[in-house]
Amino acid sequence: MNIYARFFDQDILVHSVEEVIDFLQNIPDLIISQDLVDDIYRYVESDMPYPKRYKIRPRVYFILIKTTAETMDEFKSNRKQQVIPAPIQAEVLNRKDYKVSLLTAQKFGWYHCSLTFKRVTLIPGTNKFQYQDTPFEAFIKANNGQECYSRMMEYLKGRQDIDMRSQFPSAKGSSFQFEFVGENLVEDSPEAVLNEEPVSTEISAISETEAEDA
């Protein structure tokens, strides 16, 4: 298995991870850490057939693609002729577009939702503030994932103990997750205890929101 690496208009086809690292060392602002090297090894040695993109800084990435091509000409020729099988298409589609389709899929009932937002908190003993990653989860009765997200935002932004300078994730991002759990909740399940008050400073409460009539 060979590896195609690309950074903007610089690209190379190599036969080992060591050669990939040599290529990456020429990229400005990229720190070659042991974690990065280990992750590249895991990717190359795994069965995952898809390209992998690594973030250097906002909107700046390099990409790795595993290939059986022996030369750059062979690789680029194969890329032009390649037809992606239908089962793989969903994986290589833009992930945000795919998430939108999941968010808007209509299915009325209860959802278990979770997100992590950056909450503004006061640093003890100072007049300075910091952003703290804060998880929140809820069972919500809604028509789809997008409605769940909107209701969570309305609830969190309406709380007096949450500074409005806090930063909330996009519904399309990986920090918001939702799962349909059914038309009814099991009332005697500990996970189904509904409570809108925070049970900790991390706001890990579970809350109920009734959906409007469909």
Side-chain angles (χ1 to χ4, degrees):
M1 182 65 66
N2 299 318
I3 312 149
Y4 172 80
R6 182 180 182 88
F7 174 70
F8 286 102
D9 59 348
Q10 305 174 44
D11 60 358
I12 192 172
L13 192 143
V14 297
H15 308 287
S16 68
V17 173
E18 289 77 10
E19 292 175 290
V20 172
I21 301 304
D22 288 342
F23 171 76
L24 298 179
Q25 287 176 341
N26 296 317
I27 298 179
D29 300 330
L30 176 60
I31 299 175
I32 309 296
S33 66
Q34 188 59 49
D35 287 342
L36 175 61
V37 173
D38 292 343
D39 192 79
I40 293 174
Y41 268 108
R42 284 193 294 270
Y43 167 66
V44 172
E45 295 170 359
S46 73
D47 295 329
M48 186 174 75
Y50 315 121
K52 183 157 187 181
R53 187 173 66 168
Y54 290 86
K55 185 176 181 179
I56 299 174
R57 57 181 183 275
R59 297 188 293 278
V60 178
Y61 305 84
F62 71 86
I63 188 171
L64 301 181
I65 301 175
K66 292 186 286 187
T67 178
T68 57
E70 292 293 332
T71 66
M72 184 69 79
D73 288 342
E74 181 184 355
F75 171 79
K76 292 187 175 180
S77 176
N78 290 343
R79 291 282 291 175
K80 291 179 181 178
Q81 298 174 14
Q82 184 180 25
V83 177
I84 301 175
I88 298 178
Q89 288 181 359
E91 296 291 339
V92 298
L93 284 174
N94 182 289
R95 291 186 179 183
K96 289 187 178 180
D97 290 343
Y98 182 57
K99 183 73 175 285
V100 168
S101 69
L102 296 178
L103 284 165
T104 56
Q106 296 291 310
K107 195 168 187 179
F108 179 75
W110 286 94
Y111 291 80
H112 178 234
C113 308
S114 62
L115 62 78
T116 299
F117 67 101
K118 293 188 177 298
R119 186 182 185 186
V120 171
T121 59
L122 179 66
I123 301 175
T126 73
N127 291 321
K128 298 181 179 180
F129 293 84
Q130 65 182 354
Y131 286 105
Q132 179 180 1
D133 284 343
T134 304
F136 176 79
E137 62 179 345
F139 283 107
I140 301 175
K141 201 170 188 181
N143 292 296
N144 54 41
Q146 182 63 54
E147 185 177 346
C148 290
Y149 173 81
S150 298
R151 291 177 181 275
M152 290 181 83
M153 290 297 98
E154 180 181 1
Y155 172 73
L156 290 172
K157 292 180 179 181
R159 287 180 52 147
Q160 297 298 315
D161 60 336
I162 297 180
D163 193 304
M164 288 307 298
R165 293 172 295 178
S166 300
Q167 297 178 357
F168 298 93
S170 164
K172 294 179 287 186
S174 60
S175 293
F176 171 65
Q177 302 291 332
F178 63 96
E179 179 183 7
F180 183 77
V181 295
E183 295 183 359
N184 299 291
L185 288 178
V186 179
E187 295 297 336
D188 58 355
S189 169
E191 289 79 10
V193 175
L194 306 178
N195 178 11
E196 289 195 352
E197 293 302 319
V199 297
S200 74
T201 57
E202 294 186 345
I203 316 180
S204 55
I206 296 175
S207 64
E208 175 183 13
T209 303
E210 293 292 343
E212 298 175 357
D213 293 337

